[in-house]
Amino acid sequence: MKNKLLLLASAALMLTAMPAAQAEKFFQFGVFAPDIQIIPANSSVAGLRIDFVYGENTTMSGLDLGFVHSTTQSFSGAGLGLVNLVGGEMTGAQLGFFNRTRGSGSCGAQLGLVNFAEGGIKGAQLGFFNKASSVSGLQLGLVNSTPNLHGLQIGLINFADNSAISPIMPFVNWKF
């Protein structure tokens, strides 16, 4: 018991000795950004972010949980929510009904009903509707669309401008 108390006291002392900005950035809880959240929207979070309704930060790395997540710049980690929005590059996974990245290149997976990778994706998009400016990997869904495919599309209808077969193909399309 004495060792546990000593360990807790040491941890508390280390947290209070850290600058406030560093201690705050590990955990974010928000109800509705930018006004009702612990860390300001123009700050970064590295650790755990829980967004009860809507949360926003500049960068996020770690685990993102909640309904609507917005990262105005880069995101790395796992985003689990109804809506995952990334204004920059994404590295990791987005799991939600609607996923969107806007950065010049994302690496990982988007799993949702609707997936958009405006700057392209290296990895996979798995959903009902998938669209990316370029795909290096796999698109698996009912409708898949990209002008620049380097990989495989599997779905009811597949659009790939640079396809090895045809720009529009049912069931499967590819370009390697």
Side-chain angles (χ1 to χ4, degrees):
M1 181 68 152
K2 184 178 176 183
N3 288 341
K4 288 180 183 177
L5 289 174
L6 186 58
L7 183 64
L8 278 173
S10 298
L13 183 60
M14 286 185 347
L15 282 175
T16 56
M18 291 173 62
Q22 287 180 349
E24 291 177 346
K25 293 183 181 186
F26 174 76
F27 177 73
Q28 168 73 297
F29 178 81
V31 176
F32 202 87
D35 298 324
I36 309 172
Q37 61 183 37
I38 297 170
I39 310 291
N42 64 355
S43 298
S44 299
V45 176
L48 175 64
R49 179 168 72 166
I50 299 172
D51 303 317
F52 185 68
V53 177
Y54 171 71
E56 179 178 296
N57 291 99
T58 54
T59 62
M60 169 63 197
S61 60
L63 181 61
D64 219 352
L65 301 171
F67 290 100
V68 179
H69 314 289
S70 178
T71 304
T72 57
Q73 295 176 17
S74 64
F75 175 85
S76 62
L80 307 158
L82 294 176
V83 176
N84 298 295
L85 307 170
V86 177
E89 285 74 32
M90 182 272 299
T91 303
Q94 292 179 314
L95 293 89
F97 286 105
F98 180 85
N99 302 305
R100 186 203 70 211
T101 62
R102 288 192 164 165
S104 60
S106 293
C107 185
Q110 290 182 315
L111 296 93
L113 292 178
V114 177
N115 300 305
F116 288 102
E118 294 177 20
I121 190 165
K122 292 180 181 179
Q125 287 183 312
L126 303 131
F128 197 73
F129 178 79
N130 302 306
K131 182 173 175 137
S133 63
S134 67
V135 174
S136 293
L138 171 70
Q139 283 185 317
L140 176 65
L142 287 179
V143 177
N144 301 303
S145 177
T146 183
N148 191 7
L149 176 65
H150 297 283
L152 182 66
Q153 293 176 315
I154 300 171
L156 185 61
I157 188 77
N158 302 290
F159 300 93
D161 293 348
N162 69 331
S163 169
I165 307 165
S166 172
I168 302 171
M169 285 294 295
F171 309 117
V172 72
N173 206 353
W174 66 86
K175 170 74 163 119
F176 295 102

